[in-house]
PDB file of all heavy atoms in Angstrom:
ATOM      1  N   SER A1308       0.870  -1.197   0.008  1.00 98.00           N
ATOM      2  CA  SER A1308      -0.005  -0.001   0.020  1.00 98.00           C
ATOM      3  C   SER A1308       0.835   1.196  -0.015  1.00 98.00           C
ATOM      4  O   SER A1308       1.896   1.264   0.690  1.00 98.00           O
ATOM      5  CB  SER A1308      -0.892   0.034   1.221  1.00 98.00           C
ATOM      6  OG  SER A1308      -1.781  -1.061   1.185  1.00 98.00           O
ATOM      7  N   LEU A1309       0.444   2.223  -0.765  1.00 98.00           N
ATOM      8  CA  LEU A1309       1.097   3.517  -0.791  1.00 98.00           C
ATOM      9  C   LEU A1309       0.025   4.600  -0.594  1.00 98.00           C
ATOM     10  O   LEU A1309      -0.919   4.634  -1.325  1.00 98.00           O
ATOM     11  CB  LEU A1309       1.818   3.757  -2.093  1.00 98.00           C
ATOM     12  CG  LEU A1309       2.551   5.145  -2.283  1.00 98.00           C
ATOM     13  CD1 LEU A1309       3.679   5.284  -1.282  1.00 98.00           C
ATOM     14  CD2 LEU A1309       3.049   5.310  -3.699  1.00 98.00           C
ATOM     15  N   SER A1310       0.222   5.442   0.468  1.00 98.00           N
ATOM     16  CA  SER A1310      -0.659   6.525   0.785  1.00 98.00           C
ATOM     17  C   SER A1310       0.083   7.808   0.774  1.00 98.00           C
ATOM     18  O   SER A1310       1.173   7.915   1.376  1.00 98.00           O
ATOM     19  CB  SER A1310      -1.341   6.290   2.121  1.00 98.00           C
ATOM     20  OG  SER A1310      -2.089   5.071   2.212  1.00 98.00           O
ATOM     21  N   ILE A1311      -0.532   8.861   0.143  1.00 98.00           N
ATOM     22  CA  ILE A1311       0.144  10.139  -0.024  1.00 98.00           C
ATOM     23  C   ILE A1311      -0.718  11.252   0.546  1.00 98.00           C
ATOM     24  O   ILE A1311      -1.934  11.265   0.316  1.00 98.00           O
ATOM     25  CB  ILE A1311       0.467  10.366  -1.536  1.00 98.00           C
ATOM     26  CG1 ILE A1311       1.328   9.225  -2.092  1.00 98.00           C
ATOM     27  CG2 ILE A1311       1.221  11.704  -1.712  1.00 98.00           C
ATOM     28  CD1 ILE A1311       1.358   9.227  -3.629  1.00 98.00           C
ATOM     29  N   SER A1312      -0.068  12.152   1.224  1.00 98.00           N
ATOM     30  CA  SER A1312      -0.729  13.392   1.667  1.00 98.00           C
ATOM     31  C   SER A1312       0.177  14.544   1.479  1.00 98.00           C
ATOM     32  O   SER A1312       1.240  14.654   2.142  1.00 98.00           O
ATOM     33  CB  SER A1312      -1.106  13.242   3.164  1.00 98.00           C
ATOM     34  OG  SER A1312      -1.749  14.436   3.614  1.00 98.00           O
ATOM     35  N   ALA A1313      -0.126  15.340   0.440  1.00 98.00           N
ATOM     36  CA  ALA A1313       0.799  16.470   0.064  1.00 98.00           C
ATOM     37  C   ALA A1313      -0.034  17.675  -0.383  1.00 98.00           C
ATOM     38  O   ALA A1313      -1.077  17.539  -0.969  1.00 98.00           O
ATOM     39  CB  ALA A1313       1.741  15.982  -0.993  1.00 98.00           C
ATOM     40  N   THR A1314       0.584  18.857  -0.275  1.00 98.00           N
ATOM     41  CA  THR A1314       0.017  20.094  -0.774  1.00 98.00           C
ATOM     42  C   THR A1314       1.143  20.998  -1.291  1.00 98.00           C
ATOM     43  O   THR A1314       2.332  20.854  -0.925  1.00 98.00           O
ATOM     44  CB  THR A1314      -0.737  20.875   0.320  1.00 98.00           C
ATOM     45  OG1 THR A1314       0.223  21.177   1.394  1.00 98.00           O
ATOM     46  CG2 THR A1314      -1.905  20.076   0.841  1.00 98.00           C
ATOM     47  N   ALA A1315       0.783  21.864  -2.243  1.00 98.00           N
ATOM     48  CA  ALA A1315       1.729  22.849  -2.748  1.00 98.00           C
ATOM     49  C   ALA A1315       0.955  24.160  -3.005  1.00 98.00           C
ATOM     50  O   ALA A1315      -0.227  24.116  -3.483  1.00 98.00           O
ATOM     51  CB  ALA A1315       2.359  22.415  -4.030  1.00 98.00           C
ATOM     52  N   ALA A1316       1.527  25.340  -2.703  1.00 98.00           N
ATOM     53  CA  ALA A1316       0.858  26.596  -2.833  1.00 98.00           C
ATOM     54  C   ALA A1316       1.737  27.579  -3.515  1.00 98.00           C
ATOM     55  O   ALA A1316       2.937  27.653  -3.281  1.00 98.00           O
ATOM     56  CB  ALA A1316       0.431  27.073  -1.458  1.00 98.00           C
ATOM     57  N   GLY A1317       1.163  28.358  -4.406  1.00 96.00           N
ATOM     58  CA  GLY A1317       1.742  29.526  -5.041  1.00 96.00           C
ATOM     59  C   GLY A1317       0.841  30.651  -5.017  1.00 96.00           C
ATOM     60  O   GLY A1317      -0.250  30.660  -5.675  1.00 96.00           O
ATOM     61  N   GLY A1318       1.196  31.761  -4.320  1.00 94.00           N
ATOM     62  CA  GLY A1318       0.228  32.868  -4.142  1.00 94.00           C
ATOM     63  C   GLY A1318      -0.998  32.420  -3.443  1.00 94.00           C
ATOM     64  O   GLY A1318      -0.972  31.757  -2.418  1.00 94.00           O
ATOM     65  N   ALA A1319      -2.138  32.741  -3.964  1.00 95.00           N
ATOM     66  CA  ALA A1319      -3.439  32.422  -3.397  1.00 95.00           C
ATOM     67  C   ALA A1319      -3.985  31.063  -3.761  1.00 95.00           C
ATOM     68  O   ALA A1319      -5.001  30.618  -3.370  1.00 95.00           O
ATOM     69  CB  ALA A1319      -4.475  33.452  -3.762  1.00 95.00           C
ATOM     70  N   THR A1320      -3.194  30.354  -4.637  1.00 97.00           N
ATOM     71  CA  THR A1320      -3.650  29.033  -5.159  1.00 97.00           C
ATOM     72  C   THR A1320      -2.944  27.902  -4.432  1.00 97.00           C
ATOM     73  O   THR A1320      -1.686  27.877  -4.330  1.00 97.00           O
ATOM     74  CB  THR A1320      -3.331  28.856  -6.686  1.00 97.00           C
ATOM     75  OG1 THR A1320      -3.900  29.940  -7.344  1.00 97.00           O
ATOM     76  CG2 THR A1320      -3.842  27.602  -7.230  1.00 97.00           C
ATOM     77  N   THR A1321      -3.772  26.954  -3.892  1.00 97.00           N
ATOM     78  CA  THR A1321      -3.234  25.827  -3.162  1.00 97.00           C
ATOM     79  C   THR A1321      -3.756  24.514  -3.823  1.00 97.00           C
ATOM     80  O   THR A1321      -4.937  24.440  -4.196  1.00 97.00           O
ATOM     81  CB  THR A1321      -3.697  25.764  -1.666  1.00 97.00           C
ATOM     82  OG1 THR A1321      -3.126  26.975  -1.057  1.00 97.00           O
ATOM     83  CG2 THR A1321      -3.134  24.582  -0.984  1.00 97.00           C
ATOM     84  N   ALA A1322      -2.820  23.641  -4.080  1.00 98.00           N
ATOM     85  CA  ALA A1322      -3.165  22.335  -4.716  1.00 98.00           C
ATOM     86  C   ALA A1322      -2.975  21.245  -3.702  1.00 98.00           C
ATOM     87  O   ALA A1322      -1.942  21.267  -2.984  1.00 98.00           O
ATOM     88  CB  ALA A1322      -2.373  22.121  -5.982  1.00 98.00           C
ATOM     89  N   ALA A1323      -3.849  20.276  -3.678  1.00 98.00           N
ATOM     90  CA  ALA A1323      -3.780  19.110  -2.795  1.00 98.00           C
ATOM     91  C   ALA A1323      -3.630  17.842  -3.569  1.00 98.00           C
ATOM     92  O   ALA A1323      -4.210  17.695  -4.653  1.00 98.00           O
ATOM     93  CB  ALA A1323      -5.000  19.084  -1.867  1.00 98.00           C
ATOM     94  N   TYR A1324      -2.863  16.911  -2.982  1.00 98.00           N
ATOM     95  CA  TYR A1324      -2.611  15.640  -3.660  1.00 98.00           C
ATOM     96  C   TYR A1324      -2.598  14.536  -2.615  1.00 98.00           C
ATOM     97  O   TYR A1324      -1.820  14.534  -1.697  1.00 98.00           O
ATOM     98  CB  TYR A1324      -1.225  15.725  -4.328  1.00 98.00           C
ATOM     99  CG  TYR A1324      -0.824  14.440  -5.047  1.00 98.00           C
ATOM    100  CD1 TYR A1324      -1.473  13.975  -6.139  1.00 98.00           C
ATOM    101  CD2 TYR A1324       0.380  13.801  -4.674  1.00 98.00           C
ATOM    102  CE1 TYR A1324      -1.082  12.802  -6.776  1.00 98.00           C
ATOM    103  CE2 TYR A1324       0.816  12.630  -5.273  1.00 98.00           C
ATOM    104  CZ  TYR A1324       0.078  12.190  -6.376  1.00 98.00           C
ATOM    105  OH  TYR A1324       0.504  11.057  -7.067  1.00 98.00           O
ATOM    106  N   SER A1325      -3.605  13.665  -2.633  1.00 98.00           N
ATOM    107  CA  SER A1325      -3.749  12.637  -1.629  1.00 98.00           C
ATOM    108  C   SER A1325      -4.311  11.323  -2.164  1.00 98.00           C
ATOM    109  O   SER A1325      -5.274  10.761  -1.667  1.00 98.00           O
ATOM    110  CB  SER A1325      -4.688  13.140  -0.484  1.00 98.00           C
ATOM    111  OG  SER A1325      -5.959  13.466  -1.005  1.00 98.00           O
ATOM    112  N   PRO A1326      -3.614  10.722  -3.193  1.00 98.00           N
ATOM    113  CA  PRO A1326      -4.057   9.430  -3.693  1.00 98.00           C
ATOM    114  C   PRO A1326      -3.549   8.303  -2.840  1.00 98.00           C
ATOM    115  O   PRO A1326      -2.662   8.476  -1.997  1.00 98.00           O
ATOM    116  CB  PRO A1326      -3.531   9.444  -5.065  1.00 98.00           C
ATOM    117  CG  PRO A1326      -2.209  10.171  -4.923  1.00 98.00           C
ATOM    118  CD  PRO A1326      -2.511  11.250  -3.934  1.00 98.00           C
ATOM    119  N   SER A1327      -4.056   7.086  -3.060  1.00 98.00           N
ATOM    120  CA  SER A1327      -3.543   5.884  -2.487  1.00 98.00           C
ATOM    121  C   SER A1327      -3.653   4.757  -3.445  1.00 98.00           C
ATOM    122  O   SER A1327      -4.478   4.852  -4.359  1.00 98.00           O
ATOM    123  CB  SER A1327      -4.250   5.605  -1.102  1.00 98.00           C
ATOM    124  OG  SER A1327      -5.623   5.345  -1.352  1.00 98.00           O
ATOM    125  N   ASN A1328      -2.875   3.725  -3.243  1.00 97.00           N
ATOM    126  CA  ASN A1328      -2.976   2.568  -4.075  1.00 97.00           C
ATOM    127  C   ASN A1328      -2.579   1.305  -3.325  1.00 97.00           C
ATOM    128  O   ASN A1328      -1.635   1.338  -2.562  1.00 97.00           O
ATOM    129  CB  ASN A1328      -2.066   2.731  -5.315  1.00 97.00           C
ATOM    130  CG  ASN A1328      -1.967   1.468  -6.192  1.00 97.00           C
ATOM    131  OD1 ASN A1328      -0.998   0.772  -6.152  1.00 97.00           O
ATOM    132  ND2 ASN A1328      -3.058   1.266  -6.982  1.00 97.00           N
ATOM    133  N   SER A1329      -3.242   0.214  -3.533  1.00 98.00           N
ATOM    134  CA  SER A1329      -2.863  -1.053  -2.983  1.00 98.00           C
ATOM    135  C   SER A1329      -2.813  -2.107  -4.099  1.00 98.00           C
ATOM    136  O   SER A1329      -3.685  -2.086  -5.023  1.00 98.00           O
ATOM    137  CB  SER A1329      -3.875  -1.528  -1.944  1.00 98.00           C
ATOM    138  OG  SER A1329      -3.881  -0.588  -0.830  1.00 98.00           O
ATOM    139  N   ARG A1330      -1.888  -3.021  -4.032  1.00 97.00           N
ATOM    140  CA  ARG A1330      -1.728  -3.997  -5.101  1.00 97.00           C
ATOM    141  C   ARG A1330      -0.943  -5.184  -4.586  1.00 97.00           C
ATOM    142  O   ARG A1330      -0.314  -5.132  -3.528  1.00 97.00           O
ATOM    143  CB  ARG A1330      -0.980  -3.411  -6.273  1.00 97.00           C
ATOM    144  CG  ARG A1330       0.375  -2.891  -6.022  1.00 97.00           C
ATOM    145  CD  ARG A1330       0.942  -1.969  -7.070  1.00 97.00           C
ATOM    146  NE  ARG A1330       1.130  -2.654  -8.349  1.00 97.00           N
ATOM    147  CZ  ARG A1330       0.566  -2.324  -9.459  1.00 97.00           C
ATOM    148  NH1 ARG A1330      -0.275  -1.348  -9.520  1.00 97.00           N
ATOM    149  NH2 ARG A1330       0.801  -3.006 -10.580  1.00 97.00           N
ATOM    150  N   ILE A1331      -1.024  -6.284  -5.262  1.00 97.00           N
ATOM    151  CA  ILE A1331      -0.260  -7.515  -4.979  1.00 97.00           C
ATOM    152  C   ILE A1331       0.866  -7.700  -5.967  1.00 97.00           C
ATOM    153  O   ILE A1331       0.640  -7.674  -7.163  1.00 97.00           O
ATOM    154  CB  ILE A1331      -1.212  -8.735  -5.030  1.00 97.00           C
ATOM    155  CG1 ILE A1331      -2.349  -8.620  -3.909  1.00 97.00           C
ATOM    156  CG2 ILE A1331      -0.413 -10.015  -4.769  1.00 97.00           C
ATOM    157  CD1 ILE A1331      -3.341  -9.704  -3.970  1.00 97.00           C
ATOM    158  N   ASN A1332       2.022  -7.888  -5.387  1.00 94.00           N
ATOM    159  CA  ASN A1332       3.242  -8.012  -6.208  1.00 94.00           C
ATOM    160  C   ASN A1332       4.181  -9.047  -5.601  1.00 94.00           C
ATOM    161  O   ASN A1332       4.127  -9.351  -4.421  1.00 94.00           O
ATOM    162  CB  ASN A1332       4.026  -6.672  -6.277  1.00 94.00           C
ATOM    163  CG  ASN A1332       3.363  -5.699  -7.296  1.00 94.00           C
ATOM    164  OD1 ASN A1332       3.133  -5.995  -8.492  1.00 94.00           O
ATOM    165  ND2 ASN A1332       3.006  -4.566  -6.819  1.00 94.00           N
ATOM    166  N   PRO A1333       5.129  -9.566  -6.439  1.00 96.00           N
ATOM    167  CA  PRO A1333       6.091 -10.500  -5.855  1.00 96.00           C
ATOM    168  C   PRO A1333       7.038  -9.795  -4.874  1.00 96.00           C
ATOM    169  O   PRO A1333       7.267  -8.598  -4.942  1.00 96.00           O
ATOM    170  CB  PRO A1333       6.898 -10.963  -7.098  1.00 96.00           C
ATOM    171  CG  PRO A1333       6.037 -10.649  -8.252  1.00 96.00           C
ATOM    172  CD  PRO A1333       5.199  -9.425  -7.887  1.00 96.00           C
ATOM    173  N   MET A1334       7.521 -10.561  -3.910  1.00 97.00           N
ATOM    174  CA  MET A1334       8.554 -10.011  -2.973  1.00 97.00           C
ATOM    175  C   MET A1334       9.616 -11.191  -2.754  1.00 97.00           C
ATOM    176  O   MET A1334       9.275 -12.397  -2.983  1.00 97.00           O
ATOM    177  CB  MET A1334       8.016  -9.611  -1.659  1.00 97.00           C
ATOM    178  CG  MET A1334       7.311 -10.687  -0.823  1.00 97.00           C
ATOM    179  SD  MET A1334       8.412 -11.706   0.149  1.00 97.00           S
ATOM    180  CE  MET A1334       9.172 -10.497   1.235  1.00 97.00           C
ATOM    181  N   LEU A1335      10.741 -10.829  -2.374  1.00 98.00           N
ATOM    182  CA  LEU A1335      11.795 -11.833  -2.135  1.00 98.00           C
ATOM    183  C   LEU A1335      12.754 -11.325  -0.994  1.00 98.00           C
ATOM    184  O   LEU A1335      12.742 -10.123  -0.720  1.00 98.00           O
ATOM    185  CB  LEU A1335      12.610 -12.179  -3.351  1.00 98.00           C
ATOM    186  CG  LEU A1335      13.384 -11.067  -4.102  1.00 98.00           C
ATOM    187  CD1 LEU A1335      14.723 -10.849  -3.510  1.00 98.00           C
ATOM    188  CD2 LEU A1335      13.481 -11.398  -5.558  1.00 98.00           C
ATOM    189  N   GLY A1336      13.396 -12.269  -0.382  1.00 98.00           N
ATOM    190  CA  GLY A1336      14.292 -11.798   0.740  1.00 98.00           C
ATOM    191  C   GLY A1336      15.396 -12.870   0.969  1.00 98.00           C
ATOM    192  O   GLY A1336      15.218 -14.058   0.601  1.00 98.00           O
ATOM    193  N   ILE A1337      16.491 -12.419   1.516  1.00 98.00           N
ATOM    194  CA  ILE A1337      17.607 -13.317   1.924  1.00 98.00           C
ATOM    195  C   ILE A1337      18.123 -12.779   3.294  1.00 98.00           C
ATOM    196  O   ILE A1337      17.912 -11.645   3.599  1.00 98.00           O
ATOM    197  CB  ILE A1337      18.699 -13.319   0.936  1.00 98.00           C
ATOM    198  CG1 ILE A1337      19.267 -11.894   0.640  1.00 98.00           C
ATOM    199  CG2 ILE A1337      18.342 -14.017  -0.403  1.00 98.00           C
ATOM    200  CD1 ILE A1337      20.522 -11.879  -0.136  1.00 98.00           C
ATOM    201  N   GLY A1338      18.691 -13.707   4.052  1.00 98.00           N
ATOM    202  CA  GLY A1338      19.173 -13.273   5.349  1.00 98.00           C
ATOM    203  C   GLY A1338      20.010 -14.343   6.028  1.00 98.00           C
ATOM    204  O   GLY A1338      20.278 -15.473   5.463  1.00 98.00           O
TER     205      GLY A1338
END
């Protein structure tokens, strides 16, 4: 899962960005 919460402002204009995504993918590990 990836969750994002971000904003950017220039002058009187503010933009918000808050998408999220979940997915199934391969993983691997060694130890």
Side-chain angles (χ1 to χ4, degrees):
S1308 297
L1309 178 65
S1310 299
I1311 304 166
S1312 177
T1314 59
T1320 304
T1321 299
Y1324 179 62
S1325 56
S1327 61
N1328 175 258
S1329 298
R1330 58 194 297 119
I1331 296 175
N1332 282 306
M1334 65 81 62
L1335 58 86
I1337 56 173

